[in-house]
Structures are given as C-alpha cells and as structure tokens.
Amino acid sequence: MTGRYGRRRSVLKMRTVAGQFFLLQVAIVVLLVAAAVAALVSQSRADSEREARGRSVAVAEAFAGSPGIEAALKSPNPTAVLQPLAERARKLSGVDFIVVMNRAGIRYTHPLPDRIGKKFVGNLQPALNGGIVVERVTGTIGPLVQAVVPVIGRDGTVVGLVSAGITLKRVGGVVEQQFPLLFGSAAGILLLSTAGTAAVSRRLRRQTHGLGPTEMTRMYEHHDAVLHAVREGVLIIDGDGRLLLANDEARRLLGLPADVEGRVPAELGLDPVTTELLASGRTVTDEVVPVGERLLAVNQRSTDRGGGPPGSVTTLRDTTELRALTGRADVARRRLNLLYEAGTEIGTTLDVVRTCEELAEFVRAHFADFATVDVAEAVLRGEEPTAVGMDAEWRRTAFSGIREDTPLHPVGSVIRFLPTTPLGAGLRRGEAVLDADLAAFSGWQQQDPARARQLVEHGFHSVIAIPLRARGAILGVALFWRSAKSEPFEDEDLSVAEELVARAAVNIDNARRYTREHNMAVTLQRSLLPRGVPEQSAIDVAYRYLPAQAGMGGLGGVGGDWFDVIPLPGARVALVVGDVVGHGLHAAATMGRLRTAIHNFSALDLPPDELLWHLDELVAQIDQDEAVDSADVGVTGATCLYAIYDPVSGRCTMARAGHLKPVIVDPEGTSEFADVPGGPPLGLGGLPFETLEALLPENSRLVLYTNGLVEDRHRDIDEGLALLRRTVAENADRTPEETCEAVLRTLVPERARDDIALLVGRTRRLDAADVVQLHVPSDPSAVSQVRAEVSRKLAEWDLVEEAFTTELILSELVTNAIRYATGPIGVRLLRDRSLICEVSDHSSTSPHLRQAATTDEGGRGLFLVAQFADRWGTRYTDHGKVIWTEQALRAAPPPSSPSAP
C-alpha cells in the first residue's frame, strides 16, 4: 500500500493489526468473499478519487502557503524562481503536476516547459474569490482530479493561483495491485480484516490529515528546518494567549530567553508596545515597531480562519538597514529634485541681472531664508572678470529674503571682501565657506564689525558663501543665510549649495557672454543706422529704433531692422523702412549692405518700384554668394517699404516688398492703411513691384514701421495693427516726436522680443510763391525769354546775386533741350534750402559731361553747368527726363526739422 509522497507503508505492521482479527475473519470469510470483492472494487474507486482530491488539495495548499511564494509572483521573472520549486514539490508529493499561475490564468510553471506562458484550462473564478476549486476532468494523461487554490498576499488579496493534479490511474493502481496479495495470503480472512483496518485508517487519517508516520516525521523535520533557517521571526500564540513557538530569528530580534514556551507576552520582558501588540492578537500588516535599536516590521494574523485552532501567528522582519537606505535614498531624491527645479527656474533669460535674481529667489524659496548674489562690475558689462581677492569689487546684484528689513548691503552696493576674513580667503582660493555659528564671531565679523553685530541681533545664525566659478574664472559670490527658527547649515547643505551655484554660474556666464556679443552687435548695428535726420524741408520726421532685449531666447538680440530719410533732387525726400529676417551679426551686416545699396540706387533717382526691383536682384545675388561660401547660411529674407514725397505737388509714391502697409493720417485725424500693392519679399525674384501714388494734404502724417512694433506673443498681429491705427489717430494733433512716444508707450512691451523701427513724418508743402514753372517753345529765340523771366523772379526773391549763374545754367540746359530733345520743354525754378533749376523734355537720352578740346566750337555747356552748380543730375520720368541743378543760397530759410531722440 502506498502512503503519502509515494512511500511504501510497512506490511508487517499491517499484519500485526490484521492478526488481531484473524480468527474472526476465518469464520465469515466464505460468506463475505463475494460481497468483499464487490465492496473492495467499489471502495477502491471511491478511495482513489477521494485520495486524489485530498492529495491535490493538500499539495496545492501547501505550495500556495509556502514562504516566499508572494515575493516570487511579484518578481521580474516568476518562472525562473517557481519552476524548480514546483518540479521538486511535484516529485516529492507524487502528483502529476503543480502549476503556478497569475490571476489571469497564465502558467508560470508546468512539467512540460512548452506549456509555460499559456492559459490554464479549468474553472478559476472561485479561487480568485478566495475559495478552493476541486474538479474531475479528463486530460491528455487521462481522467484526473485537479485542485485550484488561491495565493493570499500579505494584504489579504489574491495575488496568484496554484493548481495541483493527480490522475485516478496513479491512485487507483496502488489498490488494484494489492488484490493478488490480499486474496493469495489472507484467503478471505484478510477481507474482513481489511474492513477493520479501513476503520482504523479512517480514524488515523482524521488525526494525521492522511499522513503516515514517515511522512509526518519528514514534514516536521522540514518545517522545523525552515522555521529556524528563515531570516524572519515567527511567533505562534495559542487561544489562551501563551507562546507556543518562537523560532531562532524571533528570539534574536526580541532578545527572548531559551525557556519562553508556555509564557504569556507580559512575561517575556518586552517593551509595552510590543507586548500589547502580541497579546491583542489583532491583525496588522507591516506595522513598524521599535525594539531597542531595531525597527521591526510586524505582520500578525489569526489562526482560526477556516476552522483552525484559536490563536495568532506573528512574523517579524528587521527593517533597520532598509529604513536607513530608504532615508538616504529620500535625501538623494530630494536633492535631485531640487537641482532639477533649479535648472528650470534659473537661467530662463540670457540676462546677467535677471539670472542672479532667479538664483536668489530660488534659494530663498527652497534652501535658505536670505540669499544675495554679488558679481564683478566687468561681468555686468559682459566682460571677463580680471581682479580676484583684495582688488576685486563686487556689485550686489540680487537679494531675496523672507523680509526686507535686514542689515545686509542693499542691491547696487559695491562690496570688497577683506582677505583676512574666511570669506575673502575662500574667494582667493575659489573655495566655498560654511560658518554654522555666526554668533561665535569666528573671524567673519572683521569685514564690518557693526553690521556683523546687527546681523546676529536680527537672528542670522549661519551662512554659506560660494564663489560663482565658470570656465576657471570667478564671476562673483553667492551668500545664503539662515535665521530665526531655521536649522543651521550642515556639511551636506554645503555640497548641495555648491552644485546649485555651479549650475547657476554656468547660466550667468552664458548670459555674460551673450551680453558681450549683444553689445558688440548693437554697436555694429548702430554704426550702420542713421546718426540723425538730414536737413530737408519736405517733411518733419521723428524716428525711434529699439533693438530686441538681450536674453530673450530665439528672438532676443540684434536684428536687421532699419530706416532711412534720403533727400532727393527737386526738394523731394525718400522715406525707407526695412527688416532683414533673423537676428545677430549676420542680419545686421546684411542690413548695412541693403541700406548702402538703397542710398546708391536713390542717387540714381529711380522710382520706388524700379528701385525695389534692383534691390531684389541684389538680395538674390547675396544669397548666391553666401551659398557658395557656406552651406550653413540660409537664404536672406528681407522686406522693405520705399516712399518718395514731393512737397511741390504733395504726391507720395510708394512701393513695398513684403512689408506691412504704412498708416496715413489726414489733418482731420482720420487714419487708414495705405493700400500699397503687396510685392514679394526681397530675394525671391521674378515678380514685378507696383506703386501707389497718393495725394497728401499738408500736415498729414505718414507712419512707417517694422513688424516688431505690432507683433507680440500675447497679441495677434491684427490687434496690433488696429491698436497702431487708433493710437496715431488719437495723436494726430501732436508733433512727430510726441506721436513716436505715444506709439511706443502703447504698443511696445517692457522687454521687446524683436527689433522695432518707427518713422513718423508730417508733410509740408512748398509755397506757390516759391515755385516758377515755364513752358518753353522749341525755338532758340525762347532762351532769352527764359533768362528774362528768371531774372525777374530772382529779383522778386531777393536773389539778384545768383541771377547771372542761374541764367547761364538755364541757358545751357534749355539750349541743349531745344537742340537735341523732342517734345515740349519745361522749366521749373524752386526756392528751398537751395535754388533748384529743372529742365524737362520728352527725350530719354541723357547728356554726358565731357571736356572739349581747345579747337572745338561746342561741347562746353554741361561742363560749365557742373562748374557753377553745387550738384546736378538727371532723373527719368514716364514721359522723358529732367535735368536738374542745385545752387547754395546765402540766406537759406532756417530748417525746421526735429531734433533726433
């Protein structure tokens, strides 16, 4: 007969027990042989299934309740831990399989490795609810009984499932093998003794849970070995509150004596908290209890669940080292979080002062009660610091504290640290200094004894001073103070502060270097922009140029915005506003090239559309040249608005290349955007530019600007344009200077992210009395009439001294027009800051200045004109050309142009 775990039971013992019934069995063996055979067959089948059920449930419960099963299920690779244990238990228990699975029924173990990872076949729901499932199924190995039991975690939830199964053939085969032995050796008597033996076996099975003596002995040995080998203390207390068992680890953790079994917890000499916990028997999970110098995690459960004996089981785990490691991990995590937050809050701009302020504010909020940052004067200017130690002067740049009324030096103060103080010596060495007890006056007070006493009286008790080092240079020093109820600084705080300041120093140095580059770019850009408004009488002009603030990220820094006021012949004036895409030195240099080109094209007196066409060709050529030099330089993008105003006719001709429309405000205060045809930005090429000609009454306002004025990340461009139009309309009765101030005050934020160029002009008109226009017939005799009319007008203007020169100039120009040109000839005389003479015809052929030989009879006309006139030139019109000259007047009308801002 086979016992539990597949071991043979002693046949001799069975004979001894059966011999007591031998005489009785002989008397009735013949009568009972037939019934006994039938009964034995039936009983064997029932016993087989019962044995299979009991064994599968017992094995599954034993394995599910074994120590470490929960940790294995929660491990990264449960199969690697559980598969060898399950196979070993299967072989020892005699079952056909032990399968461990998760709550979803996915196998972690199986005798056949290819079944691992597949879903278990069977009813799992009762086990998931905490019950036990026992079912008879027919599998690939035949009819079998399988049991599924839950694995209960420490928190009382089902964390996994264990199934054990055994075939009926394996169990029933043992009984069937006994038939020849029973009938052959006992001959019928053994049939009756079998019934008595079965009764005794049933009683013994109830007392031993179906285990034989060998199995019980082995189980005790195994449980005892495990109980005393685990690194977890185990205490068992019965229903009377007495200690039944304490393993070696529990004795060590609690310091129990050897003879503790049978005592109540109050007699064990434990502390009151532990004594009360053990005596109460209440359910606890991972409750931390201090015992001496140890911190024990206690788990306690009742043993009377499911009909078990009354009492409780307590497990103890030493978490002292784990708590210490956890504490250090928490400190490290807080430190990393502090540094991470510092990285996001310090250095948000490339501005030295603002970065210092962010450092002081962050330290005050997370690390200290007060924080000050002092930097070298050179650093504030963007230069490299040169002096350190005795010769260094530090400017207090930032302060932040829990209150303002402190004896600390205010922001803006200049401080020089004495080399005899610990701080001064530390600065010279580039090392941090910690003074955890300021009241001891250990030398720091030598810097300023009176102020030192005031600091201590105000509650300052510790300080950390750390040099701001970057790329080997000391940029300044950061001082962190604690006062009042704050704990003094410790060595661990010093290391945190050093890392914090090291990161901030890099940001400050980046801001310093950016400031230096920004200053250089601004200097370059300002050298390329107009230094003032040239003298002219056509329009009163005021302008403003604002570079983007340093440290504003992608848009911060010098850009390519520019403006120009260019006097043109005929008392006219050209107004220009443009914007090169991008920022930095490249944009500023490109702006300078475009501005120079516009001046050159303006000298040719080209109309706005033709000038923009030539400028477009230039930008395209720049792109080609830069593409050859460097593949990293992108295509140059630029916009431009070019307007020419004629004070004689009041006409303004405008053309734009991708630029925003100008604003025109009439003398009554009505503002509108001039509908100038929109051409493509410069550099695209292939598309023509169109012009708009508008008649501007005197005292009209013409407002030209770049996109930085109306664009803002907090405002849509349409809102900015509407605000600009409304602002200039509301200030129509003010001077151009006042209008500029009003526009900037209304539209520009405190820290502009893009360059801004603004040009505001108020139109003037030449008095009709200062303009003379003559129509000259194509007859040489008409030249004398022109001279006579000009002489009369000059006398009227009190310009008799200029009469001879003017008559000579007009005589030569009119004579040339009559001789070489076609169509009507016109003469116009303008009195402005200079005396302007213009001769127009319908010929597109321009005269050329040459120097005639002594034997030539002609060819000296233009040479004489160039000698007597201050300036002369030719401009082309839609119907021909105009040759003009300018002569300086001795009594020119006083200029009325505004002063530059």
Side-chain angles (χ1 to χ4, degrees):
M1 193 172 181
T2 304
R4 194 176 178 87
Y5 301 110
R7 290 185 175 270
R8 291 276 182 177
R9 293 181 177 174
S10 175
V11 179
L12 295 177
K13 290 185 178 181
M14 293 179 64
R15 286 179 178 179
T16 302
V17 175
Q20 300 176 10
F21 301 94
F22 178 76
L23 294 177
L24 179 62
Q25 301 296 338
V26 171
I28 60 175
V29 64
V30 176
L31 299 176
L32 298 179
V33 64
V37 171
L40 182 59
V41 172
S42 177
Q43 184 66 35
S44 66
R45 291 178 179 177
D47 288 346
S48 297
E49 185 170 348
R50 187 183 304 110
E51 177 68 13
R53 287 175 175 271
R55 189 180 302 179
S56 60
V57 171
V59 172
E61 286 183 333
F63 196 89
S66 60
I69 184 69
E70 181 182 359
L73 286 171
K74 295 181 179 179
S75 65
N77 190 356
T79 297
V81 179
L82 296 173
Q83 176 68 2
L85 298 177
E87 284 301 293
R88 180 181 178 189
R90 181 184 66 82
K91 295 176 181 178
L92 293 176
S93 62
V95 297
D96 289 279
F97 64 88
I98 297 178
V99 176
V100 183
M101 65 200 88
N102 60 14
R103 288 178 56 88
I106 303 304
R107 300 187 185 103
Y108 290 144
T109 68
H110 197 276
L112 300 177
D114 60 343
R115 304 290 178 86
I116 297 175
K118 298 181 179 179
K119 189 172 183 61
F120 180 81
V121 179
N123 185 15
L124 303 179
Q125 190 58 42
L128 292 175
N129 296 332
I132 298 176
V133 181
V134 182
E135 55 185 352
R136 178 176 177 178
V137 298
T138 300
T140 57
I141 58 177
L144 56 87
V145 175
Q146 63 182 18
V148 181
V149 300
V151 179
I152 306 301
R154 295 179 179 177
D155 56 356
T157 61
V158 176
V159 298
L161 304 173
V162 176
S163 175
I166 184 170
T167 60
L168 296 177
K169 180 180 178 181
R170 177 186 291 270
V171 180
V174 176
V175 179
E176 293 173 358
Q177 293 172 8
Q178 306 301 321
F179 289 162
L181 178 62
L182 292 174
F183 286 99
S185 61
I189 300 175
L190 193 58
L191 294 175
L192 296 177
S193 63
T194 300
T197 303
V200 175
S201 297
R202 283 194 297 271
R203 183 177 181 183
L204 183 61
R205 186 177 295 112
R206 285 195 302 269
Q207 295 178 349
T208 62
H209 299 286
L211 298 176
T214 304
E215 288 78 11
M216 292 183 64
T217 302
R218 187 192 308 107
M219 181 173 288
Y220 173 78
E221 292 173 351
H222 289 175
H223 287 187
D224 187 67
V226 172
L227 190 64
H228 293 285
V230 295
R231 292 298 304 274
E232 190 166 304
V234 179
L235 298 173
I236 300 178
I237 298 177
D238 61 14
D240 297 330
R242 295 187 177 276
L243 185 64
L244 294 181
L245 182 144
N247 70 345
D248 296 342
E249 184 68 7
R251 295 173 186 271
R252 184 183 70 84
L253 294 176
L254 298 177
L256 300 177
D259 55 341
V260 294
E261 285 78 2
R263 297 185 182 183
V264 296
E267 299 175 356
L268 301 180
L270 302 176
D271 61 274
V273 175
T274 307
T275 301
E276 186 276 331
L277 178 61
L278 295 177
S280 67
R282 70 175 187 273
T283 300
V284 296
T285 301
D286 288 336
E287 181 174 324
V288 178
V289 177
V291 177
E293 297 181 355
R294 295 188 176 93
L295 292 175
L296 303 183
V298 180
N299 290 274
Q300 189 165 270
R301 296 290 185 275
S302 175
T303 59
D304 59 0
R305 297 180 178 179
S312 62
V313 176
T314 305
T315 59
L316 310 171
R317 186 173 67 255
D318 191 355
T319 62
T320 305
E321 295 182 0
L322 180 61
R323 290 282 174 172
L325 290 175
T326 303
R328 289 195 290 270
D330 290 341
V331 172
R333 184 171 58 254
R334 289 195 298 269
R335 183 171 182 173
L336 289 176
N337 289 339
L338 180 68
L339 296 177
Y340 173 78
E341 292 178 6
T344 60
E345 297 182 23
I346 301 175
T348 59
T349 66
L350 289 173
D351 183 81
V352 174
V353 175
R354 182 57 193 155
T355 303
C356 293
E357 292 173 349
E358 290 173 346
L359 171 60
E361 293 168 0
F362 181 84
V363 170
R364 191 267 307 160
H366 298 85
F367 190 70
D369 296 329
F370 300 90
T372 60
V373 181
D374 308 326
V375 297
E377 292 279 2
V379 173
L380 296 175
R381 298 190 299 268
E383 303 171 2
E384 291 278 357
T386 55
V388 178
M390 294 180 60
D391 299 329
E393 289 187 350
W394 312 97
R395 174 78 64 179
R396 177 137 297 174
T397 308
F399 165 82
S400 183
I402 57 177
R403 65 178 189 270
E404 297 293 333
D405 56 334
T406 67
L408 295 171
H409 290 283
V411 173
S413 303
V414 177
I415 303 172
R416 177 177 294 178
F417 295 101
L418 299 178
T420 57
T421 63
L423 177 56
L427 281 176
R428 297 189 67 179
R429 299 190 303 269
E431 299 175 355
V433 177
L434 166 63
D435 193 332
D437 187 8
L438 296 179
F441 294 109
S442 57
W444 68 277
Q445 76 282 359
Q446 297 177 10
Q447 178 72 31
D448 190 339
R451 193 180 299 272
R453 287 192 298 272
Q454 294 176 2
L455 288 172
V456 174
E457 291 173 359
H458 275 71
F460 287 72
H461 53 68
S462 59
V463 65
I464 291 179
I466 305 175
L468 293 164
R469 297 179 61 92
R471 298 185 302 109
I474 297 180
L475 310 178
V477 59
L479 291 94
F480 307 151
W481 310 79
R482 283 185 179 175
S483 65
K485 298 180 180 180
S486 300
E487 294 294 330
F489 286 118
E490 300 176 351
D491 292 337
E492 185 175 345
D493 297 323
L494 181 61
S495 62
V496 175
E498 286 179 322
E499 290 190 35
L500 189 63
V501 172
R503 297 193 178 195
V506 173
N507 293 327
I508 293 175
D509 187 57
N510 290 339
R512 177 196 64 79
R513 297 170 66 184
Y514 182 86
T515 301
R516 179 187 60 190
E517 295 177 3
H518 182 267
N519 291 340
M520 293 172 57
V522 169
T523 302
L524 171 63
Q525 188 183 41
R526 291 194 180 279
S527 67
L528 298 175
L529 289 172
R531 300 295 180 89
V533 177
E535 294 184 356
Q536 45 82 32
S537 303
I539 192 169
D540 288 338
V541 176
Y543 66 88
R544 292 292 186 275
Y545 174 77
L546 299 178
Q549 292 293 323
M552 294 304 295
L555 291 179
V558 171
D561 292 15
W562 88 92
F563 65 92
D564 250 318
V565 179
I566 305 173
L568 298 178
R572 297 168 303 141
V573 64
L575 303 179
V576 188
V577 168
D579 182 8
V580 176
V581 176
H583 294 78
L585 294 177
H586 180 266
T590 303
M591 176 269 291
R593 298 171 70 177
L594 295 182
R595 181 170 176 260
T596 301
I598 290 176
H599 274 269
N600 293 333
F601 292 146
S602 298
L604 299 177
D605 209 349
L606 300 176
D609 55 342
E610 187 175 345
L611 184 143
L612 291 181
W613 184 83
H614 285 288
L615 199 63
D616 180 69
E617 291 288 320
L618 175 63
V619 173
Q621 185 62 43
I622 292 175
D623 286 339
Q624 294 178 5
D625 296 341
E626 291 181 345
V628 173
D629 295 339
S630 174
D632 296 333
V633 178
V635 176
T636 300
T639 65
C640 182
L641 173 64
Y642 189 86
I644 297 177
Y645 175 70
D646 186 351
V648 177
S649 63
R651 295 188 178 275
C652 182
T653 306
M654 296 171 280
R656 63 189 179 103
H659 205 81
L660 295 173
K661 297 178 180 180
V663 181
I664 297 178
V665 186
D666 62 21
E668 287 74 26
T670 302
S671 63
E672 62 179 356
F673 289 101
D675 194 15
V676 183
L682 299 175
L684 296 183
L687 296 176
F689 298 95
E690 300 181 30
T691 61
L692 171 70
E693 188 173 281
L695 183 62
L696 302 182
E698 189 172 8
N699 290 326
S700 297
R701 300 295 194 280
L702 185 61
V703 181
L704 285 68
Y705 54 94
T706 57
N707 61 343
L709 180 67
V710 293
E711 285 186 340
D712 187 72
R713 59 180 177 177
H714 303 298
R715 180 182 61 210
D716 186 72
I717 187 172
D718 292 334
E719 297 179 8
L721 291 172
L723 184 59
L724 171 64
R725 178 179 174 182
R726 185 169 60 251
T727 302
V728 295
E730 293 172 351
N731 294 271
D733 56 341
R734 298 190 177 185
T735 65
E737 282 289 336
E738 294 172 339
T739 303
C740 284
E741 290 296 332
V743 168
L744 296 183
R745 185 169 56 252
T746 305
L747 276 81
V748 180
E750 181 179 356
R751 299 180 66 84
R753 294 175 57 86
D754 198 3
D755 286 11
I756 296 173
L758 174 64
L759 199 62
V760 178
R762 180 175 60 190
T763 60
R764 294 177 177 177
R765 297 288 289 272
L766 282 183
D767 195 298
D770 295 329
V771 179
V772 175
Q773 291 187 343
L774 303 175
H775 295 285
V776 182
S778 183
D779 184 356
S781 62
V783 176
S784 60
Q785 299 175 5
V786 171
R787 288 199 300 265
E789 181 63 24
V790 168
S791 297
R792 185 188 64 78
K793 194 63 179 178
L794 291 178
E796 181 181 332
W797 287 345
D798 195 18
L799 297 176
V800 178
E801 295 182 0
E802 284 79 12
F804 174 76
T805 303
T806 305
E807 290 178 7
L808 177 62
I809 292 173
L810 287 178
S811 295
E812 293 295 337
L813 294 180
V814 172
T815 300
N816 282 341
I818 294 173
R819 181 177 301 175
Y820 301 108
T822 60
I825 300 173
V827 174
R828 189 169 73 165
L829 198 65
L830 305 176
R831 183 179 65 164
D832 191 35
R833 294 177 179 272
S834 60
L835 182 62
I836 302 171
C837 300
E838 296 180 347
V839 177
S840 61
D841 56 53
H842 283 208
S843 173
S844 59
T845 303
S846 177
H848 297 283
L849 177 66
R850 67 185 181 90
Q851 186 170 1
T854 56
T855 58
D856 292 341
E857 296 182 0
R860 297 178 179 84
L862 284 181
F863 180 77
L864 293 175
V865 170
Q867 293 297 316
F868 286 103
D870 293 335
R871 297 174 59 214
W872 78 279
T874 304
R875 73 172 182 270
Y876 294 93
T877 65
D878 295 337
H879 306 289
K881 67 177 182 296
V882 175
I883 302 176
W884 56 268
T885 64
E886 290 185 4
Q887 300 166 249
L889 298 179
R890 298 179 183 179
S896 58
S897 59
S899 58

